[in-house]
Amino acid sequence: MKSRRDFIKKSALAVAGLSIFPSKVISGLGYKAPSDKLNIVGIGIGGKGHPNLVGMNTENIIGLCDVDWKYAANCFNDFPKAKRYKDWRLMFDELGKDIDGIMISTPDHTHATIAATALTMDKHVYCQKPLTHSVYESRLLTRLAAKHKVATQMGHQGNSGDGVRQVCEWIWNGEIGEVKEVHAWTNRPLWPQGLERPRETVKVPSHLDWDLFIGPAPFRPYNPVYTPWNWRGWWDFGTGAFGDMACHVLDPVYQALKLGYPDRVQGSSSLINVESPPQSEKVEFRFPARDNLAKVALPEVAVHWYDGGLLPNRPDLLPDGIDLMRDGLGGCLFVGSKDTLLCDCGGFNPRLLSGRTPNVPQTLRRVPNATGYFDGFHEQDWIRACKESPENRVETSANFAYAGPFNEMVLLGVLAIRLQGLNKVLRWDGPNMTFTNISPSEELKIISKNEFEIIDGHPNSDVKFTTFNAQTAAAEYIKHTYREGWSLPSMP
C-alpha cells in the first residue's frame, strides 16, 4: 500500500509545472470551477495544522508558516514546494496577491489577529477551534466575515458530521419534547494545568522564534513547559480544557437548541491560579426562552458543563455499565419532557434512553462521508464554499456567522471559571459584551503562589493571593490589551 506521504509528494509533483494564479484572477466574478485549484497557505503547521493541510492537499499549498521550524519539519517535508516562513505578516506581504485561502492553527491567543488581517484582505479563512481567545475577538471575526463575504470555517471537524445533524432533526421534530436541562462533559485536559509560572531561566532554542510565539500576549521568559502543545494550559496562550473541547462537545447543544446569548453563568473548579486553568471544572449557563419551532417549544434551559474527570449524575434510565466516556472525548445528555437523548462528542451516535428509535426525515444538508472525527471532510466542505460566489454560496455549517456567537458562549464558560472568586451568578449582557452585576469597587482575589511542605512532621502551606479590581479584570478578559506592535482592525 502506498503511504500518505508518497501520495502527497506525487500530488505536489503533478502541480509543480502549473502557473499559480489567485482564483479571483481565474474566475472573474468570484466563482471558481471545482476542478480549478485554490492557492492556500498554512499558519501554525506543527500540530493540528498539519492534518488540516493534508485534508486540503487537493489544492495548491503555496506557503507554510510556523514559529518553530523543528516542530513543523514533518509538514515542511510533506509540502516541499511551499515557501517557508516564521512570521505570517511577511508571508502575507510576499504572497498576499496570490493567496486564496488561509488555514490558521496557531495557539489560541494568535488566532484573531491573523484571521482578522486575512479577512480584511478578502481571503477565505479556515481557523481552528476555539475560534478566538476572547469574546471581543469572536465578535470582531463574525462582523468582518459578514462584511467581506468570504468563505469561513471553524476547525471543529465533528461539525460537518452526520451526528449533530441527526440530533437537530430529532429535537426539532419534537421527539424528546421540550428541553430545559442539558449536561455535557469531557475527560480533558490531557496536558498539565493548574501550574505556576516557572522561575528558572532557559535559553531559547535556535529553531524557535519566541517573540513571534508570544505575539500579542504579555511577554514572559521562554520555558519549554509552554510550547509545543502545553500552551493550552496557560491563560495567556490558551483557554484550558473548556476552550479546547467545548467547541466539539457543545456544538450539538448550541445548534439543536438554537441558543443565543446566555443571560447568566457561574463556574467552580479545582485549584485555580493567575497563570493556569484548573484541572477540573463545572460551569452552568442559563439561556432565556427562544422563539418556538413548528413542532417544539424552546423554553429557558440550563446547560451544565463538566471536565477533568467530573461527570453528571447518571440518569435513571441509563443502564448500568454504560460508559459516559465511551468515545474517549465526551458527550451530551438532553433531558426532554418526553424522553432523554444521549450522544457522544459532536452529536455522534445519538440514542434515546427509552430505547425508541425515531423515524425522522433528513432535512439538513449532509457532508459526504463525514461520519466521525476524521480530517479532510470538514476542510473539503470549506474548499467547496471557497469556490462558490458569495451570492450563490452554500455556507459551511461552521462559518463564522455561526462559529463566532457559539465561540462567545464557550469563552463565557472560561470567564465563569476565571471570575468564580466573586462568589456570585454572573449576569451577562450579550449584545454589549459586559457583565452587569460587577461593581466598580469589587475585588477579585486569585492564588499566585501555593506551596506545601512537611516541616518537622507538620504540614505547612504557603498560599499567596493577588488582588485585582474585578471590573477591570473582567473587561480585560473580554477584550485583551495587546502587546505593543500588535493590533486588530476596527470593529465594523
Side-chain angles (χ1 to χ4, degrees):
M1 181 180 291
K2 294 181 179 179
S3 71
R4 175 177 58 82
R5 183 165 296 176
D6 288 337
F7 172 76
I8 294 170
K9 287 181 177 179
K10 288 186 177 181
S11 298
L13 290 172
V15 301
L18 298 178
S19 297
I20 296 177
F21 300 98
S23 64
K24 63 184 179 183
V25 173
I26 299 173
S27 56
L29 297 176
Y31 173 78
K32 183 174 174 66
S35 58
D36 291 335
K37 293 180 182 291
L38 300 173
N39 296 334
I40 294 174
V41 298
I43 307 169
I45 59 171
K48 186 62 179 177
H50 186 185
N52 286 153
L53 286 174
V54 171
M56 301 174 185
N57 67 6
T58 53
E59 313 305 301
N60 298 323
I61 309 301
I62 66 170
L64 299 173
C65 179
D66 202 288
V67 299
D68 186 341
W69 279 20
K70 180 180 178 181
Y71 191 47
N74 288 337
C75 192
F76 284 149
N77 291 337
D78 277 352
F79 299 98
K81 300 296 184 181
K83 193 169 182 180
R84 303 175 183 182
Y85 298 87
K86 284 191 174 179
D87 191 333
W88 59 269
R89 296 167 298 183
L90 178 60
M91 182 170 70
F92 283 8
D93 286 343
E94 293 188 358
L95 300 182
K97 67 182 187 303
D98 296 323
I99 296 172
D100 294 314
I102 296 168
M103 187 286 301
I104 303 165
S105 190
T106 59
D108 302 348
H109 73 294
T110 52
H111 284 185
T113 185
I114 303 170
T117 303
L119 291 170
T120 60
M121 296 168 62
D122 293 316
K123 307 300 182 184
H124 306 296
V125 176
Y126 183 104
C127 186
Q128 261 303 327
K129 54 78 193 169
L131 186 63
T132 66
H133 194 260
S134 77
V135 171
Y136 176 86
E137 292 168 341
S138 288
R139 187 74 58 89
L140 175 66
L141 295 193
T142 302
R143 293 187 180 179
L144 285 174
K147 177 181 178 180
H148 292 273
K149 302 185 184 305
V150 292
T152 55
Q153 182 88 302
M154 182 166 76
H156 55 316
Q157 65 269 33
N159 173 271
S160 282
D162 57 356
V164 64
R165 289 159 171 75
Q166 194 171 20
V167 169
C168 289
E169 290 163 349
W170 287 10
I171 289 177
W172 296 346
N173 201 54
E175 296 297 317
I176 66 171
E178 296 181 3
V179 177
K180 298 182 179 180
E181 177 186 345
V182 181
H183 300 268
W185 57 89
T186 183
N187 60 355
R188 275 20 176 207
L190 301 177
W191 51 90
Q193 292 194 173
L195 305 177
E196 294 181 19
R197 185 182 295 215
R199 299 170 186 172
E200 66 272 21
T201 300
V202 181
K203 183 179 179 181
V204 180
S206 60
H207 55 81
L208 172 67
D209 190 317
W210 178 242
D211 189 73
L212 286 177
F213 173 87
I214 291 285
F219 188 82
R220 64 175 66 196
Y222 166 77
N223 192 285
V225 75
Y226 298 129
T227 184
W229 184 257
N230 288 341
W231 50 262
R232 292 171 173 81
W234 300 93
W235 287 129
D236 282 347
F237 311 133
T239 48
F242 202 115
D244 182 68
M245 288 302 295
C247 291
H248 289 306
V249 180
L250 289 176
D251 188 29
V253 182
Y254 195 82
Q255 283 199 58
L257 299 183
K258 296 187 175 293
L259 301 177
Y261 299 124
D263 56 14
R264 287 162 286 169
V265 62
Q266 60 181 311
S268 63
S269 73
S270 58
L271 192 68
I272 186 173
N273 63 48
V274 296
E275 298 285 344
S276 180
Q279 277 296 114
S280 59
E281 54 199 353
K282 297 194 305 180
V283 175
E284 181 191 36
F285 302 88
R286 289 276 180 168
F287 291 86
R290 286 82 61 219
D291 291 341
N292 294 341
L293 301 180
K295 296 184 178 181
V296 68
L298 298 176
E300 179 181 287
V301 61
V303 177
H304 301 267
W305 170 267
Y306 315 79
D307 66 37
L310 301 178
L311 292 170
N313 294 330
R314 298 174 68 86
D316 292 339
L317 290 177
L318 184 67
D320 292 345
I322 299 297
D323 185 358
L324 290 175
M325 282 299 308
R326 71 175 195 167
D327 69 348
L329 297 170
C332 292
L333 191 72
F334 295 82
V335 181
S337 57
K338 296 180 182 178
D339 210 329
T340 298
L341 188 158
L342 175 65
C343 64
D344 295 342
C345 182
F348 291 106
N349 303 309
R351 56 268 191 207
L352 302 186
L353 294 192
S354 66
R356 181 176 59 88
T357 301
N359 182 17
V360 176
Q362 291 187 6
T363 57
L364 296 175
R365 178 181 70 94
R366 275 8 185 216
V367 176
N369 301 312
T371 57
Y373 273 96
F374 308 114
D375 295 303
F377 308 110
H378 199 54
E379 293 87 341
Q380 285 296 316
D381 199 46
W382 172 67
I383 287 169
R384 171 203 53 77
C386 291
K387 295 181 180 182
E388 297 173 353
S389 64
E391 297 77 14
N392 298 305
R393 179 179 296 138
V394 176
E395 296 288 356
T396 63
S397 54
N399 72 88
F400 290 0
Y402 167 79
F406 173 37
N407 199 67
E408 289 189 32
M409 173 196 176
V410 171
L411 295 176
L412 274 177
V414 175
L415 297 191
I417 295 300
R418 299 195 73 174
L419 296 169
Q420 64 182 287
L422 295 177
N423 301 307
K424 63 172 65 177
V425 176
L426 296 165
R427 297 190 174 273
W428 179 245
D429 177 352
N432 292 305
M433 293 183 286
T434 188
F435 292 108
T436 61
N437 63 333
I438 301 178
S439 69
S441 60
E442 279 187 89
E443 292 185 338
L444 176 67
K445 292 184 177 180
I446 306 176
I447 290 175
S448 55
K449 179 183 179 182
N450 182 46
E451 295 182 352
F452 176 86
E453 60 180 337
I454 301 294
I455 300 176
D456 296 330
H458 299 285
N460 285 269
S461 297
D462 183 9
V463 181
K464 289 183 170 56
F465 291 83
T466 299
T467 301
F468 304 87
N469 177 274
Q471 202 172 74
T472 301
E476 177 63 28
Y477 297 160
I478 294 166
K479 181 183 180 183
H480 302 328
T481 301
Y482 278 11
R483 189 164 65 111
E484 186 176 358
W486 298 86
S487 63
L488 290 168
S490 299
M491 182 77 74

